Amino acid sequence: MTRKTKIAVGIVGTLVVLVAVLVVLVATFDWNRARPMINERVTAAIGRPFAINGDLTVEWSRESDEGGWRGWVPWPHIVANDISVANTEWARVPEFATLKRGEFSLSPLPLLAHRVVIRRIQLTEPAADLERLADGRANWVFTLPETGEPSPWVLDINEIGFDKGSVGLSDAILQADLTVLVDPLGKPVPFADVAGAAFVPEDAAAAAPRDYVFGWKVDGKFKNLPTKGEGKVGGMLALQDPKQPFPVQADVSIGGTKAAITGTLTDPANLGALDLRLKLSGGSMAQLYPLTGVTLPDTPPYSTDGHLVARLRNAGGAVFEYRDFNGRVGNSDLHGDVTFSLAAPRPKLTGKLSSKQLRMADLGPLIGVQSGRPAPAQDKPKDAPAKPPDGKVLPTQAFRTDRWRDMDADVALEAGRIVHDAKLPLSDLTVHVILQDGQLTLDPLRFGMAGGSMAAIVRLDGSKAPLTGRVEMHARRLRLKQLFPATASMQSALGELNGDLALSGTGNSVAALLGSANGDVKMLVNDGVISRSLMEIAGLNVGNYVVSKLFGDDEVKINCGAADLEMKSGVMTPRVFVFDTENALINITGTTDFKNEKLDLDITPDSKGFRIFSLRSPLYVRGTFGKPDVGVHVGPLAARGAGMVALGVILTPAAGLLALIAPSTTDDNSCGALLKQMRTPPKAPAPKGK
């Protein structure tokens, strides 16, 4: 053996001995002696006092999952007892987190690059107190005390298991103050036993969901609303494997909203995806706004049951799909699919909905009409009046235009039947709702009514204050006998109703819009019957009085009713408002003030014969919408004579109504004849003495 060989063998032998001595020292070292150093180093790394108060043991072994030369590097298996992490100086409690026992295996080589790699960690009785202030400071964000910069250390955990524990959350931004308690169930519960065998996670390539192992309870407040709930979760959370679903189940109530979910969470470290069966119910859909940020209308009580799939890491923003849901709003059914995307610059709600039957009482709140149910105190908006002011009848509940600017929407709805009144069913509703930049559009809005059709376009611009709105509506071929199916005499009527409406206004409620409206209302009714009983069925008390004064209790045939009404600044004035009956020509003049809800109308009959004495007396309608005053004129107006009134009707322009004339079911068109007569100038009187 040469001298060089002897030196090399000596060096190698020395290194082997040193390694052997090091292994023996590490294997037999009392790691409790290292606790002060470890506590000091971790404290410096996280910028927060850290302490292992109990025993610390380390056992070294190779990881079978590691391949190649890395498989020969032993990993330390660390068991630490009674661990605590101090809180920030501004926090409400002294400790941020405590742990009775922690067990994990640590990969040694990544430590050189400031990475803590742990394949699996098991936590026994963990407890944490999470807190965030209104200025955004959160006690779960760790910073270095010297620089104020985030810690350079990166924690990489594949799976995390836990025992019973507790978590407290106080978040000024979320307006949350919650306590969550977790306890073992006693024995695992298979996922299918809770979710149902028919429930299949969205990702077919994912592994089967694990069993439920722990139960949990939550109590406190969220969004300043009372919150309670309970549910089940799995025992091992896969933080790095996006294909391993984590089972979740919950029944939670937040204020007046109740939610029940069953399903899976995948890739929780990156908020990857949710695949849940969701049941949701509450006193009003508007209650969901503070919880979700989704702008929905005030509604009667509702409930839904469907399949929620969420893609939380979508490139354009998180996407939530609520598929194949079945629900009820009041006594109306609702079905379909909706998608909510957290896209820029605003979230957007899209969907296609269908219904077999919708009740108008359930749809009323969409236009500010109260549903009639007493809302819980916490559900009422601060600016919503309990009822309209005294004597007012028009809806005064404000549209929530501030919420319109928080999101966009594109939703289509089709309904087979609409129940407004048991005696007057509507059908075939089609509506397309678009909300864009605070502007709400219903185009088209169509439905069938009384054998005819109603079509409208509604535009409400809530992007600025006050709101501006425009409504265009067209009624075609509404059959009178179907409009009043309970009136026996009307069943022999062959007439129809046609009308057009175009109004524009400004204001944040139905009452305000009508009180400022400008536009036109036109209507033609031909070949009908009028009577006191008809007015009573229609609920028109004023009309009942007027008809009784004009015709007594008799039924009278209407040859034609024609109305061309002008609206200026909320005051409606007739250009033409005349009824041609078999006994008289009845003219209506005056004003209807929607802003102040006041009536000032004169009803003047021109008798076609002398057999109805009462037709010689004009009538008036005064007062408010809520308390109208109706009576018989005496004095100067009656003295003018019916001839002057008839002359005024004949001279009134009526060309605007010609477009509403539809072919009559009778041989001659009564309205066509009346309008022709009204458009013909009267002959000049013959000179005296000739």
Side-chain angles (χ1 to χ4, degrees), residues 390-394 541 597-599 623-629:
D390 292 340
K392 302 291 185 180
V393 298
L394 296 177
N541 295 329
E597 296 196 13
K598 290 186 177 180
L599 297 165
T624 65
F625 291 4
K627 295 181 179 180
D629 176 29

Side-chain angles (χ1 to χ4, degrees), residues 83 96-102 122-129 160-168 180-182 214:
I83 302 173
F96 165 70
T98 61
L99 182 65
K100 183 177 180 180
R101 179 183 176 92
Q122 183 67 39
L123 308 178
T124 302
E125 294 189 21
D129 191 87
I160 182 170
F162 49 89
D163 199 345
K164 66 178 181 179
S166 63
V167 177
V180 182
L181 301 176
V182 180
F214 292 96

Side-chain angles (χ1 to χ4, degrees), residues 116-121 155-160 237-241 269:
V116 179
V117 177
I118 299 173
R119 288 289 176 262
R120 178 177 297 180
I121 185 170
L155 182 62
D156 184 355
I157 301 177
N158 283 12
E159 289 188 329
I160 182 170
L237 185 62
L239 298 180
Q240 299 297 330
D241 184 2

Side-chain angles (χ1 to χ4, degrees), residues 166-297:
S166 63
V167 177
L169 172 64
S170 176
D171 193 324
I173 296 178
L174 292 178
Q175 299 175 312
D177 190 0
L178 301 169
T179 300
V180 182
L181 301 176
V182 180
D183 271 312
L185 291 173
K187 65 177 182 178
V189 178
F191 177 80
D193 288 357
V194 177
F199 184 86
V200 178
E202 174 69 12
D203 189 351
R210 292 170 172 169
D211 294 341
Y212 293 100
V213 177
F214 292 96
W216 60 268
K217 292 184 179 180
V218 62
D219 194 7
K221 288 188 175 182
F222 182 70
K223 298 296 184 180
N224 284 333
L225 298 173
T227 301
K228 280 185 175 293
E230 61 182 9
K232 303 177 184 67
V233 293
M236 188 64 68
L237 185 62
L239 298 180
Q240 299 297 330
D241 184 2
K243 296 297 184 181
Q244 178 60 60
F246 180 71
V248 294
Q249 183 268 326
D251 286 288
V252 181
S253 64
I254 305 176
T257 301
K258 294 183 179 180
I261 63 170
T262 304
T264 60
L265 164 67
T266 56
D267 196 11
N270 299 306
L271 291 178
L274 294 170
D275 191 6
L276 307 169
R277 178 180 179 182
L278 171 63
K279 295 181 180 180
L280 202 62
S281 62
S284 170
M285 287 188 180
Q287 297 173 14
L288 293 172
Y289 176 76
L291 304 178
T292 65
V294 181
T295 303
L296 295 171

Side-chain angles (χ1 to χ4, degrees), residues 340-359:
F340 183 65
S341 303
L342 292 174
R346 286 173 303 279
K348 186 171 184 178
L349 179 71
T350 59
K352 291 186 177 181
L353 309 177
S354 64
S355 176
K356 296 178 181 178
Q357 175 174 292
L358 290 177
R359 294 177 66 250

